[in-house]
Amino acid sequence: MSSMAPDNITGGLDIEAIRADFPILQQKVHGCRLAYLDNAASSQRPHSVIEAVSHYYEHDHANVHRGVHSLSHRATDAYEGAREKVRKFINASAASEIVFTGGTTESINLVAASLGQDIGPDDEILISHMEHHSNIVPWKLLCERTGATLRVAPINKRGELILEEMLAMLNPRTRIVALAHVSNALGTVNPVSKVIEAAHELDIPVLLDGAQAAPHAAVDVQKLGCEFYAFSGHKMCGPTGIGVLYGRQDVLERLPPWQGGGEMILSVSFEDTVYNKLPYKFEAGTPHIAGAIGLGAAIDYLDSIGMDRIAAYEAQLRDYAGQRLSEIDGLRIIGEAESKVGVHSFVIDGIHPHDLGTVLDHKGVAIRTGHHCAMPVMDFFCVAGTARASLAFYNSAEDIDQLIDALGVATEMFA
Amino acid sequence: MIAPDQSLQEIYRHRVLEHSRNPHHFQRPRNIDHEALGFNPLCGDKLSVYLKIEDGCVADIGFDGTGCAISVASASMMTDAMAGQSLDDVKKMIGEVQDMLAEGISLDHPRLQDLAALEGVRNYPSRIKCATLAWSTLDAALNQTATQVTTE
């Protein structure tokens, strides 16, 4: 295997030590070293996260907020401790603004369902052309239910939001702006502060889909000023099935609950129900306690490295990968935004993304191929799908070199 | 062209690569009386299959659309096998190929010799639908049960 990587791509991190923390990276696939470059779909977990989840199940599990026994206390403390870690991670002002959900998708559905109870046929929802299906379909369903109109801000050929057009679409009928902080298919970092500022001039709330942002850079919801911020645990080294909806206190207070059940009430009779305080009003039923605890452990792990250092290292790796990919004949990067994270979507002349995916798998390289749950983006670029290499801080320059070598095998094979 | 790696030959056999590079009957014939659009939502691939049936036989067949090497090669081999065949044989062949990809049952029909090159696809669960797309689309075109089928 060629090793073209300059030695200085480390961002000051001890990448070998970090990689050693991830048991799953220590395996071979089809006899090759595993180069896991599908982090935008789902990241991997360090041993500390796996250990936190199993420790919880082995020692502390009981239902939360209910029993008076020791296990229930411990489970409640661990669950609420995780909420506090999330609060700190995104700098929310209170833990009551952190609602645990099943993931980004459920977080967005929560807002669409809850806010939707007050939306009518004259109202508009504003999204962008680069949204993941999870930030399109809940709003489309809401529009179908209420007769409201879904408006879509356009993107340009580089895969960037056309900001002035989005801002021009804001009007007094706009009830919410729902926008990706970072695009999953293109890696584009959106100018969310400008959108929030303009929306707030008209008192329009903004929801940011932070699924691809929270794992890669420090997020400060107070600085952003958005009303809602949604993200997933499994894309940031936490368990699957756990996610977060941040909602600003005053906004969450005004929203009605979206699911009914235990936990979300203070008292129930057949005549009257009193809803619980925040955030429990939005957490009906027994929550994913182990998931929240695992997410808390993931946040501890990320904090031990530092989100700023992670962002700096991933930027170096992104540039190195971009440079190496550009050396391949017939390869076209889809998404060349000036500001982007370590996501490289690409197509190669004459090779279908799925064939690329299979050949790369045989070389131990895991990438995503297809439409990335962003079919409108694929339509915009006139491709059925792309191959996407997406980075995390535990990737090394060697992973990139392995990707490039494997792409060489594919291009020779299908030439 | 170089021969693929040993391990990759299981799925990308020489015959498969040949068909995918230069697919046969890759056009919409002039006078058709049956057609269907096949869609694989997993990858967004779309293939249309076109037929002209005369006296209970396939008088003309063609396909077009976009797809991966596996789905295009499978469609190309399918059109080779079908040309001129009776509808009874066509249905038998569709069943055999679907059984081969789903259950691993060996092919028997003499017109399906090329299709044995797709046997290895069975070991790639995420790719089986690529291989079956053209066949379920042909089946739909014959039955005219739907103008669009999906692999789901």
Side-chain angles (χ1 to χ4, degrees), chain A residues 30 352 354-359 361-363 368-371 375 384-385 409 412-415, chain B residues 1-2 4-5 7-8 11-12 17 21 39 41-45 67-70 124 127 130:
Chain A
H30 291 290
H352 189 281
H354 273 195
D355 294 319
L356 266 184
T358 296
V359 174
D361 176 54
H362 272 262
K363 297 294 165 192
R368 170 82 186 265
T369 56
H371 53 62
M375 285 187 187
V409 171
E412 280 182 14
M413 206 175 121
F414 290 100
Chain B
M1 188 194 92
I2 61 153
D5 272 28
S7 69
L8 278 163
I11 176 163
Y12 294 112
L17 290 176
R21 283 194 194 97
F39 179 55
L42 185 69
C43 54
D45 286 353
C68 62
I70 304 299
Y124 296 77
R127 303 301 303 274
C130 308

Side-chain angles (χ1 to χ4, degrees), chain B residues 53-116:
Chain B
I53 309 287
E54 265 175 15
D55 304 327
C57 289
V58 176
D60 209 346
I61 185 167
F63 78 102
D64 60 18
T66 57
C68 62
I70 304 299
S71 70
V72 170
S74 182
S76 174
M77 294 180 200
M78 178 184 84
T79 55
D80 279 354
M82 296 301 165
Q85 297 304 295
S86 73
L87 291 183
D88 280 351
D89 273 320
V90 167
K91 281 173 191 155
K92 207 169 150 208
M93 285 189 274
I94 293 172
E96 274 195 31
V97 171
Q98 287 178 335
D99 287 349
M100 185 263 285
L101 290 165
E103 319 277 347
I105 298 167
S106 296
L107 298 166
D108 183 47
H109 199 285
R111 303 271 302 181
L112 294 178
Q113 280 176 2
D114 260 12
L115 268 304

Side-chain angles (χ1 to χ4, degrees), chain B residues 9 24 30 32-33 38 50 54 71 99 103-104 109 137 151:
Chain B
Q9 282 184 25
H24 305 170
R30 282 202 178 171
I32 58 163
D33 43 29
Y50 310 104
E54 265 175 15
S71 70
D99 287 349
E103 319 277 347
H109 199 285
T137 309
T151 53

Side-chain angles (χ1 to χ4, degrees), chain A residues 111-112 114-127 139 142-143 146-151 169-178 199-200 202-207 227-228 251 254-256:
Chain A
V111 177
S114 195
L115 191 86
Q117 296 178 38
D118 184 35
I119 281 187
D122 295 330
D123 294 330
E124 295 179 1
I125 313 288
L126 179 56
I127 64 171
W139 305 114
L142 173 61
C143 288
T146 60
T149 304
L150 185 68
R151 300 198 66 191
M169 293 167 110
L170 292 167
N171 68 75
R173 291 183 303 279
T174 312
R175 295 300 306 279
I176 189 166
V177 177
H200 284 183
L202 295 171
D203 288 327
I204 302 163
V206 177
L207 176 145
E227 278 72 12
F228 302 104
V251 182
R254 287 198 301 271
L255 284 186

